[in-house]
Amino acid sequence: MTAAARPDDGRSPRPAVIRRLRVAGSACAARVRAFGSWFNAVLGGQDYQRYVDHLQRNHPGCEIPSERDYWRRRHADADTNPQNRCC
């Protein structure tokens, strides 16, 4: 490497490039995680946990269904009462 390609202090520019790549990679990973969280929310990924929290808070002593039973009941209700669907 020639002296002209080096910064004024004589150090190699390679660590700065690696640092910028790490920052860009971290920003990209954060955006992918944010998109994953948004997509999970759109699909209703937290609905069962919110339902369990609601039951524990407002209906103590009520039996909490398994997650499988919750989704089975939710889809059956949507099929019998299709008022909130577009199709």
Side-chain angles (χ1 to χ4, degrees):
M1 184 178 278
T2 64
R6 291 179 179 252
D8 290 339
D9 60 2
R11 291 183 297 146
S12 171
R14 180 167 270 173
V17 171
I18 291 173
R19 205 171 344 182
R20 279 183 263 157
L21 285 173
R22 284 184 180 153
V23 169
S26 294
C28 183
R31 295 225 171 143
V32 168
R33 283 191 300 272
F35 176 76
S37 294
W38 171 80
F39 195 67
N40 188 33
V42 168
L43 293 179
Q46 298 297 320
D47 289 355
Y48 174 71
Q49 187 57 47
R50 276 188 292 185
Y51 180 67
V52 169
D53 293 342
H54 164 79
L55 286 178
Q56 290 173 342
R57 187 175 49 251
N58 297 324
H59 307 284
C62 183
E63 183 179 339
I64 296 174
S66 68
E67 188 170 1
R68 185 176 186 165
D69 290 337
Y70 167 79
W71 285 109
R72 191 176 289 153
R73 189 179 314 150
R74 181 170 169 169
H75 289 298
D77 290 343
D79 287 342
T80 58
N81 191 13
Q83 62 193 14
N84 290 332
R85 295 183 354 198
C86 63
C87 308

